[in-house]
Structures are given as structure tokens and as C-alpha cells.
Amino acid sequence: EVQVVESGGGLVQPGGSLRLSCAASGFTFGDYAMNWVRQAPGKGLEWVSLISGGGGDLYYAESVKGRFIISRDSARNSLYLQMNSVRVEDTAVYYCARGTTELDFWGRGTLVTVSS
Amino acid sequence: DIVLTQSPLSLPVTLGQPASISCRSSQSLVHSNGNIYLNWFLQRPGQSPRRLIYEVSKRDSGVPDRFSGSGSGTDFTLKISRVEAEDIGVYYCMQVTHWPRSFGQGTKLEIE
């Protein structure tokens, strides 16, 4: 069974850093690109970033470019999102989702709250 | 960047009646390989998004055949032939042809 499980969310002060993780199982992790998608409280979905299956191609939304870094560890079947210089507007549930175009499996998300 | 505009944003429907959601793109979603990468998702209250339709009209496994997707170029539609209670939630279109990826604003389907 395909599963992706996010973790690492919490409360962080503006300007601080946080690292999110997504543990994948039930499929050959290296065969798939992976995405981060976020949803601010009561708002719609916003695509954040994608990393290719081999890790060599990275894409970011303009809103996070230069502040967030996506990475993956194939040995651990894990996806990461390093969030630096966070802002109040980064407050959201962060989901990981599988695939370059598929986004066919999503986790339950992890909540990041940016507040002083 | 590609902007996806959904309409309506709120959709009250009577059980058993049809429903239709439009998704219009600011640019053509035809990929250089000739495919169109437009997905539809349903987010039920308190749940993660679930993909219903991919590549405009291909239904995911387990998705009832009352759901159908159509469209081309810049205009796309999700149709539900007969709405059931389990269909309530917010529907999003998403383009995965161009960078950056983008979602529509969402359409909230409610039972009248």
C-alpha cells in the first residue's frame, strides 16, 4: 500500500527555521518526483516545490524561492523541506504528494504555525 | 504564471441532480508532448485532497463513473451526473503542464 506521512510541523517564530519530513512507503521512491503543497487555514491549495526522482531537478513557487530548500534521501525513502526565514504567511498545513504530474497520493499533512 | 479560474466558487446542489464546475486557464495547457495535464481533486471536510481525474478525462481507480472530466486547450469541466451526499467538499483543478504548478481557487459543493 502506497503511503506518505508528513512530520516536523510546529510553532516557529518569524525569521526562524523548520525542517519538514515526509516518509514514503509502498512504492519505489526513486522512480517518482515528489511535491510539497500547502494550505493556509481556511484557504485553497498552493503548490510549493517539486524534486525529481533522482534529486537533480528542483522547482519552487516564487513565494518560497530563496527561503525553502527541497531535498530527498533515497536510502531513507524520505522527502524534506527546509524552511528558512519563515514568515507569518507561511502558516499552513504542508502536504507531500507523489509524482511529476500525478499527485496521486497525498499524506495527511503537518501544520506549521509561524507566530511570535 | 498560469492562472486557473474556477466557477462557480459555491455550488448548492440537490441530491440526485447534476453538477458542473468550470476551470479556465490563462494559457493553453497543451504540453510540448501533445498531452494536457489537468487534474481534478476533491477535498472532503477535514481530509487531504484526493485525485479524481487526471489528464483532463481519465478517472482514477475507485472513482464512481458519475464523475467525468472534459475540455481542451484552456477550458475544462468536471461534471457529476447525479450528486450524492459523499460528494460534498471542495473541488480543485490543477495544471501540471507548466512551471510553476497552479491550482484553481476551489469550488465548494454543498447539498441544498
Side-chain angles (χ1 to χ4, degrees), chain A residues 35 37 39 43-47 50 59-62 95 100-104 106-109, chain B residues 1 37 39 41 43 47-51 54-55 60 92 94 96 99-105:
Chain A
N35 299 265
V37 177
Q39 186 170 37
K43 303 297 185 182
L45 300 170
E46 178 187 16
W47 176 82
L50 176 143
Y59 299 87
Y60 296 96
E62 199 61 39
Y95 298 100
T100 306
T101 61
E102 301 91 329
L103 286 93
D104 53 354
W106 297 57
R108 294 189 176 186
Chain B
D1 294 2
Y37 295 103
N39 298 338
F41 297 89
Q43 187 174 30
Q47 295 187 14
S48 305
R50 172 198 179 189
R51 196 181 71 176
Y54 62 100
E55 293 180 31
D60 270 278
Y92 295 93
M94 179 192 187
V96 286
W99 302 102
R101 308 313 201 197
S102 50
F103 289 91
Q105 320 97 297

Side-chain angles (χ1 to χ4, degrees), chain B residues 57-82:
Chain B
S57 60
K58 298 176 181 177
R59 216 170 23 248
D60 270 278
S61 175
V63 174
D65 60 8
R66 63 178 182 274
F67 288 91
S68 64
S70 63
S72 62
T74 60
D75 287 353
F76 304 92
T77 303
L78 176 71
K79 291 184 178 179
I80 309 173
S81 58
R82 295 172 305 280

Side-chain angles (χ1 to χ4, degrees), chain A residues 1-5 23-29 32 34 96-99 103-107:
Chain A
E1 180 192 6
V2 173
Q3 276 197 321
V4 291
V5 180
S25 60
F27 62 100
T28 304
F29 187 61
Y32 289 87
M34 296 294 294
C96 65
R98 184 181 81 161
L103 286 93
D104 53 354
F105 287 94
W106 297 57

